[in-house]
């Protein structure tokens, strides 16, 4: 849930087969809305400034 905002940059569904199948069916029928959500997700990811350098720095930083 760090990156996905339900009905904006993607969808958050219950962890069961029926819920996931229903969402996949919806995505198949709503290709334009799905692509738009993907673009918003890509933009949100880019705006977050997540890079491998920052990840490594955060994970190896000493808080002494």
């Amino acid at each position: 849930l760090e990156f996905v905002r339900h009905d904006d940059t993607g969808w958050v569904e219950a962890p069961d087969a029926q819920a996931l199948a229903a969402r996949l069916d919806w995505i198949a029928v709503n290709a334009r809305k799905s692509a738009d959500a993907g673009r918003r997700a890509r933009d949100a990811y880019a705006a977050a400034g997540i890079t491998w350098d920052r990840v490594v720095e955060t994970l190896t930083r000493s808080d002494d």
Side-chain angles (χ1 to χ4, degrees):
L1 298 177
E2 292 287 325
F3 307 107
V4 177
R5 292 183 307 270
H6 187 71
D7 282 335
D8 180 27
T9 60
W11 299 273
V12 179
E13 301 299 338
D16 67 71
Q18 287 181 324
L20 296 174
R23 179 54 65 189
L24 290 172
D25 287 344
W26 185 92
I27 288 169
V29 171
N30 294 281
R32 179 176 288 256
K33 289 181 182 180
S34 299
D36 290 344
R39 281 187 282 281
R40 287 189 301 274
R42 183 183 57 223
D43 292 344
Y45 176 79
I50 298 168
T51 66
W52 278 114
D53 289 339
R54 284 187 64 197
V55 170
V56 170
E57 178 184 332
T58 299
L59 292 175
T60 59
R61 178 177 40 223
S62 175
D63 291 332
D64 292 338

